[in-house]
Amino acid sequence: MATEPIQEDFAGICVDSHGSAIGMPQLCADWIPNQVFWLVITLVVIFFVLSRIALPRIASVLAERQGTITNDIAAAEEFKRQATEAEKAYDKALADARAEAQGIAQKTREEIKVQLDEAIAEADRAIVAKAAESEKAIAEIRASALENIEIVAKDTAAAIVATMGGKADQDAISAAVGDRMKG
Amino acid sequence: MATEATHGAETAEHGAEAGGLVFHPMDQFIVKPLFGHGEVGMFTITNVTLWMAIAILVIVGLMVFGTRRRAVIPSRSQSVAELAYGFIHKMVEDVTGKEGLVYFPYIMTLFMFIVVANFLGLIPMSFTTTSHFAVTVVLALCVFLGVTILGFVKNGPSFLSMFWVSSAPLALRPVLAIIEIISYFVRPVSHSIRLAGNVMAGHAVIKVFAGFAGLAVISPLSVVAITAIYGLEVMVAFVQAYVFTILTCVYLKDALHPHH
């Protein structure tokens, strides 16, 4: 920016006595050899630094990274395949377990059915026995009841006959009552 | 404009002509010796030497020290170096094809020098080496001569068929050939002036706005304008390096495949 004042002796066609540019410094022929010289040196240095050190290094890093990425993708695919297999195995185990559970349930159901049938049959038998017993008891009760009725009827008939002043023949009354009861 | 304080009355008089404002937008491009005040000879160590050396240091720092760990997972500086490498490598491959990759180190050298020199030039008080035609013309001539020699070496005389547009009607071909030849020889001119012109113009405009800052009333506006132009110049610094490089690739492609 701020230009150092240049001694008048050195003020040439490009710079005035105050150190300001005359016209465009770009067109000053006095400075061209200097710029070209240093530019060539600079370019040669940059070229050798880049082509000998920097570019091969970066190229190898990029290649290495590409290789790493390729390997990682391959590894990831392998893991994915393993995961799919594991999933398949899991599904199979699940299906097997389900089938087994169904079998066990079926078997249990059948066992229970057999037990149930047995229990029902036993209960039936008990009921039949109980019914027969009851019938016998009822028959007994009925028979004893008829007998009692006959006795009561005979007694009653004898009492009625006596009350009416007659002389009751025991056998006749028994016969009469027996006749009536036969209906 | 600290310069002016040292110049006393004469400068004041000079400044008065510009209504109190002093503009020396071109002073920043003066080449001067670093040591002493002698003539600028061919081998004199000048500000050109200094800023080119800084450019070398920056490039070595980025491309060599930045990548010294050769990490598969890159550090920040290595990322930038790889980005630059990938950017130019892809450009060379896309434009010139696989066979152009042999010349990748040369193109990378050009790109790195221009882009670093352009950005170094944006540092206040620095000297912008790429703002000088002497520099850009040498760069452009290297490309022009290199590409032309390469074209003849690779294709022999059939390189000249580049100028003979066989797809055009026969009557038009001589006319087109003249136009093609002229445009071919104009290439280094436009190639070099585009770069130096863009860089120089931006820097000069910033200095002109800086000159206006001498007026208190205008100075806020001036500062805003400098900021805006500086932003533009950051873009220009990269875009011009990119343009120079991609044009180099295009010229190289013509040398490798001269047939339309």
Side-chain angles (χ1 to χ4, degrees), chain A:
Chain A
M1 306 277 204
T3 315
E4 304 268 322
I6 294 178
Q7 290 170 21
E8 276 193 48
D9 307 350
F10 301 116
I13 53 163
C14 309
V15 177
D16 64 21
S17 54
H18 306 297
S20 291
I22 302 171
M24 280 172 67
Q26 279 82 357
L27 300 179
C28 178
D30 288 0
W31 297 335
I32 288 176
N34 181 269
Q35 290 176 301
V36 172
F37 172 73
W38 290 114
L39 174 65
V40 170
I41 302 252
T42 304
L43 289 181
V44 168
V45 170
I46 294 175
F47 176 75
F48 278 102
V49 167
L50 287 184
S51 64
R52 291 291 149 87
I53 306 172
L55 300 183
R57 182 185 292 179
I58 294 174
S60 75
V61 168
L62 291 180
E64 193 187 334
R65 181 173 310 148
Q66 194 56 48
T68 310
I69 289 171
T70 312
N71 287 346
D72 285 358
I73 287 175
E77 239 147 62
E78 172 64 18
F79 285 137
K80 194 183 167 191
R81 199 183 55 72
Q82 283 177 5
T84 315
E85 265 173 25
E87 198 192 347
K88 255 184 224 158
Y90 166 78
D91 282 346
K92 194 171 168 291
L94 197 66
D96 286 353
R98 206 166 274 156
E100 202 181 334
Q102 229 147 18
I104 290 169
Q106 186 63 34
K107 207 172 137 211
T108 312
R109 213 173 286 139
E110 274 162 15
E111 276 173 15
I112 289 171
K113 197 165 184 292
V114 169
Q115 283 176 4
L116 198 64
D117 286 350
E118 260 172 33
I120 288 172
E122 203 171 317
D124 279 351
R125 272 198 303 279
I127 290 166
V128 169
K130 206 86 180 173
E133 215 174 278
S134 304
E135 223 152 291
K136 211 171 121 201
I138 289 168
E140 267 171 26
I141 290 167
R142 190 176 284 156
S144 71
L146 275 176
E147 228 168 84
N148 288 343
I149 287 168
E150 205 174 337
I151 292 166
V152 169
K154 280 173 190 169
D155 286 353
T156 310
I160 290 169
V161 169
T163 308
M164 293 190 46
K167 186 97 163 95
D169 181 11
Q170 197 66 40
D171 292 340
I173 288 168
S174 287
V177 170
D179 273 357
R180 296 300 275 191
M181 282 190 61
K182 271 170 201 147

Side-chain angles (χ1 to χ4, degrees), chain A residues 24 26, chain B residues 25-26 28-29 114 117-119 121-122 128-133 136 189-207 229-244 247:
Chain A
M24 280 172 67
Q26 279 82 357
Chain B
M26 304 311 275
Q28 59 181 320
F29 303 119
I114 295 169
N118 281 356
F119 276 108
L122 286 173
T128 320
T129 48
T130 41
S131 68
H132 275 264
F133 296 127
T136 60
V189 179
S190 62
H191 204 186
S192 57
I193 290 181
R194 181 182 300 113
L195 174 58
N198 271 288
V199 175
M200 175 181 68
H203 287 234
V205 166
I206 288 180
K207 281 306 290 262
I229 300 282
Y230 193 92
L232 186 72
E233 282 307 293
V234 170
M235 202 178 75
V236 166
F238 178 76
V239 167
Q240 286 307 318
Y242 171 77
V243 166
F244 194 97
L247 281 175

